[in-house]
Amino acid sequence: MSSCGFLNMATIGDFDPLNATIPATKVEITVSCRNLLDRDTFSKSDPICVLYTQGIGSKEWREFGRTEVIDNTLNPDFVRKFILDYFFEERQNLKFDLYDVDSKSTNLSKHDFLGQIFCTLGEVVGSLGGRMEKSLGGIPGKKCGTIIVKAEELSNCRESVMMQFCGNKLDKKDFFGKSDPFLVFYRSNEDGTTIKVEVYDWDRDGGHDFIGEFSTSYRELSRGQSQFNVYEVINPKKKGKKKKYLNSGTVTLLSFLADIEVTFLDYIKGGTQINFTVAIDFTASNGNPAQPTSLHYMNPYQLNAYAMALKAVGEIIQDYDSDKMFPALGFGAKLPPDGRISHEFALNGNPQNPYCNGIDGVMEAYYQSLKSVTLYGPTNFSPVINHVARYAASIKDGSQYFILLIITDGVISDMAQTKESIVNAACLPMSIIIVGVGPAEFDAMIELDGDEVRISSRGRNAERDIVQFVPFRDYIDRTGNHILSMARLAKDVLAEIPDQFLSYMKTRGIKPSPTPPPYTPPGHPLQTQI
């Protein structure tokens, strides 16, 4: 018998099974400023920085915390840090306000305002090396200086350990056949010095039979395979009853491999870019865009479901893409001038360069194409999946990861080809998000999602799960709060991305790049004397 035990020495805070979410990644924020406004007559300003955050789907700013006051400087490096929970799948808006402190009062209105910036936490961690520099604003007609915000991921304990054990001559508990042993590990005290291991014989009905136990420590196990790591398995009851009892068998450590767990933010900090492509369904089943019943209706007063899904997901991902140029594609339409049907056309009308500037540029191209193309059909996904896969296949070194957002109203026409495309894409640095809009049945999409059954094509299983499907209707806020609807949608569709990203990097053995040095503007070249 050789059973593999996996022992992770990290501690996860108090576990609440009712609200069982993965413990949040914590990020430590450090603030510095340069060239602040001077508001004091006889000396320099005495600055303080105040951080505000917003609740999910809320526009109200709440004070999160304050740094210390640094006297008499326009270039403060604040020591007190802000520790925030970081979620890739949320748009976490931040506001930094600076004041010149003039008295002991905690009331900020009693102090001089020195400027502010608005940003997202994603913008900070997505900046080169986790360091964002921005001009302070908020005072018309004045240059307020700059702010430097740095993000550092706080790691609990990142060391994970893979150990392999084998058992010898363990007591036979089954009447017929041999035992089916397994090990249970307990950390007996907080500092992890003693580890108790119990050995059981597995039974189908759950009433596993106790074989015996032994104790060890992390230090002993870390020696790896040696005579010290052969343990006698003792059953205290048997030992008490039988004088000649020696043991109930032995367990031997065969291997001990310690590894440092890398995180999503390690890759982002090392410069990995996330490329975002959107593909929009222009099939006739969406309804005539000129009619209010159409899913593509251009209501001057509010976003339609396509625009909401695009904005909700795109505004979060854009923080991780430094050039903010996004390819935007459409499928299922007849194109001008000759009415040919396309399942992979550029929304901006330029097939050589389908890139749009920022999410606003994508929205603009979407609205323009609605005016020029004719909705048609069928609903084919594979051409747009293959389009992104071609790019992903050319950059497999871990410097880029691709996310394709497909927004569709429903029933897919090329199911077999789409499955084949997804199985092929599962080996590439890419993930696919499908948002279903409108009232259709989305059974085929649930199959593509692969959460229940891993997707396969022609007998080949997808190497990993890369598709996340959600129907937009499940997220619409009953009170009409679209900000909340969009935040809920984004939270759900993006939640799996960091793990999908890590599974690609780990299976390919790609390590994060070291953090690049901070940018320094080029100085004057030295004159060489001849």
Side-chain angles (χ1 to χ4, degrees):
M1 157 256 177
S2 166
S3 48
C4 248
F6 185 82
L7 185 60
N8 191 341
M9 303 310 284
T11 57
I12 290 174
D14 298 330
F15 182 69
D16 171 4
L18 289 175
N19 300 307
T21 53
I22 296 164
T25 299
K26 292 203 179 298
V27 169
E28 186 178 69
I29 298 290
T30 312
V31 179
S32 300
C33 300
R34 296 294 176 263
N35 306 317
L36 289 173
L37 275 177
D38 198 353
R39 286 296 180 102
D40 287 357
T41 321
F42 299 111
S43 64
K44 295 192 170 70
S45 294
D46 307 317
I48 186 172
C49 179
V50 186
L51 171 62
Y52 296 86
T53 58
Q54 287 176 333
I56 191 163
S58 150
K59 289 200 160 171
E60 181 197 347
W61 289 105
R62 294 189 297 234
E63 184 178 322
F64 181 84
R66 302 180 182 190
T67 63
E68 76 281 15
V69 179
I70 300 186
D71 290 344
N72 198 20
T73 180
L74 304 182
N75 302 303
D77 294 313
F78 295 107
V79 175
R80 190 176 298 157
K81 299 171 185 339
F82 302 113
I83 294 174
L84 294 166
D85 287 343
Y86 162 79
F87 300 97
F88 169 74
E89 64 274 18
E90 286 179 22
R91 184 177 167 86
Q92 295 175 270
N93 291 321
L94 307 177
K95 175 169 72 121
F96 293 88
D97 282 4
L98 282 125
Y99 287 91
D100 171 18
V101 175
D102 291 327
S103 66
K104 291 269 187 279
S105 173
T106 56
N107 181 348
L108 292 170
S109 63
K110 299 271 194 289
H111 307 289
D112 291 328
F113 179 63
L114 295 176
Q116 65 184 179
I117 61 146
F118 297 89
C119 65
T120 65
L121 185 53
E123 241 177 294
V124 184
V125 299
S127 297
L128 191 65
R131 179 186 186 276
M132 183 192 78
E133 195 166 327
K134 270 195 166 186
S135 295
L136 289 159
I139 305 176
K142 295 254 189 197
K143 283 195 170 159
C144 301
T146 56
I147 186 168
I148 298 148
V149 182
K150 291 187 205 144
E152 193 67 52
E153 182 179 0
L154 289 178
S155 51
N156 289 340
C157 167
R158 288 191 177 191
E159 200 168 281
S160 68
V161 178
M162 188 73 145
M163 297 185 289
Q164 194 175 13
F165 294 89
C166 69
N168 288 86
K169 299 188 176 151
L170 295 173
D171 285 358
K172 189 165 161 289
K173 291 287 182 180
D174 289 354
F175 200 66
F176 301 107
K178 296 193 171 75
S179 292
D180 311 299
F182 66 93
L183 307 177
V184 181
F185 289 78
Y186 296 93
R187 191 181 56 193
S188 305
N189 53 358
E190 268 312 298
D191 60 3
T193 44
T194 309
I195 296 165
K196 185 173 85 161
V197 184
E198 293 181 347
V199 187
Y200 286 90
D201 171 27
W202 185 84
D203 276 338
R204 190 174 299 279
D205 63 4
H208 311 307
D209 298 318
F210 178 68
I211 295 175
E213 62 189 25
F214 62 91
S215 288
T216 178
S217 70
Y218 182 75
R219 181 175 285 174
E220 276 180 64
L221 291 168
S222 66
R223 293 174 171 182
Q225 194 176 13
S226 70
Q227 75 266 31
F228 302 107
N229 277 320
V230 179
Y231 298 96
E232 287 193 275
V233 177
I234 304 297
N235 184 328
K237 277 190 181 167
K238 280 191 173 181
K239 194 174 183 180
K241 284 182 188 167
K242 297 182 180 175
K243 281 191 176 161
K244 288 187 173 174
Y245 175 80
L246 280 173
N247 58 44
S248 295
T250 60
V251 167
T252 304
L253 176 70
L254 296 177
S255 65
F256 178 99
L257 194 66
D259 197 17
I260 299 296
E261 284 287 305
V262 290
T263 66
F264 174 69
L265 285 182
D266 289 334
Y267 289 93
I268 298 301
K269 196 170 182 183
T272 296
Q273 294 285 306
I274 294 187
N275 293 293
F276 176 56
T277 302
V278 63
I280 290 178
D281 180 334
F282 282 83
T283 54
S285 50
N286 283 285
N288 177 353
Q291 303 292 329
T293 50
S294 169
L295 293 166
H296 279 306
Y297 179 58
M298 286 169 63
N299 181 335
Y301 303 108
Q302 73 171 65
L303 299 173
N304 66 31
Y306 278 91
M308 267 199 247
L310 163 58
K311 202 171 162 67
V313 177
E315 284 193 339
I316 290 173
I317 297 178
Q318 70 176 350
D319 287 340
Y320 303 87
D321 186 328
S322 59
D323 69 2
K324 311 275 183 279
M325 296 297 290
F326 306 115
L329 309 171
F331 57 92
K334 281 184 168 180
L335 305 190
D338 52 358
R340 69 183 177 87
I341 299 160
S342 174
H343 296 292
E344 186 192 338
F345 63 90
L347 295 191
N348 64 4
N350 183 349
Q352 274 68 50
N353 185 5
Y355 291 85
C356 302
N357 192 352
I359 298 304
D360 290 341
V362 177
M363 302 284 276
E364 185 55 37
Y366 161 58
Y367 290 136
Q368 287 306 322
S369 55
L370 275 177
K371 293 174 186 167
S372 62
V373 306
T374 308
L375 302 194
Y376 202 67
T379 308
N380 291 355
F381 282 7
S382 56
V384 291
I385 295 173
N386 294 340
H387 176 102
V388 175
R390 281 195 296 276
Y391 287 93
S394 68
I395 309 170
K396 294 199 273 193
D397 61 357
S399 64
Q400 314 220 3
Y401 192 86
F402 295 78
I403 294 176
L404 168 62
L405 169 64
I406 299 175
I407 314 175
T408 178
D409 78 329
V411 187
I412 178 168
S413 315
D414 66 338
M415 190 66 174
Q417 292 92 324
T418 293
K419 282 181 166 180
E420 175 77 3
S421 297
I422 291 171
V423 169
N424 291 337
C427 318
L428 301 172
M430 69 180 276
S431 291
I432 301 166
I433 295 166
I434 306 173
V435 177
V437 293
E441 285 302 314
F442 291 116
D443 298 358
M445 305 297 150
I446 293 160
E447 188 183 338
L448 294 179
D449 188 300
D451 278 349
E452 304 299 321
V453 179
R454 180 64 59 86
I455 189 170
S456 61
S457 170
R458 297 190 294 179
R460 276 194 315 146
N461 274 358
E463 177 187 309
R464 56 196 185 94
D465 174 19
I466 62 164
V467 180
Q468 172 74 338
F469 164 73
V470 299
F472 192 33
R473 56 174 176 247
D474 290 2
Y475 299 88
I476 293 170
D477 179 63
R478 300 281 170 261
T479 64
N481 178 343
H482 293 313
I483 296 174
L484 195 56
S485 307
M486 288 160 72
R488 284 177 181 159
L489 172 79
K491 194 171 169 55
D492 246 25
V493 296
L494 293 172
E496 289 185 15
I497 296 283
D499 283 345
Q500 291 179 3
F501 174 102
L502 284 170
S503 77
Y504 175 80
M505 298 297 178
K506 284 178 178 171
T507 53
R508 296 295 180 282
I510 298 169
K511 295 269 186 279
S513 302
T515 303
Y519 172 76
T520 44
H524 297 292
L526 292 168
Q527 295 296 316
T528 351
Q529 299 292 322
I530 295 173

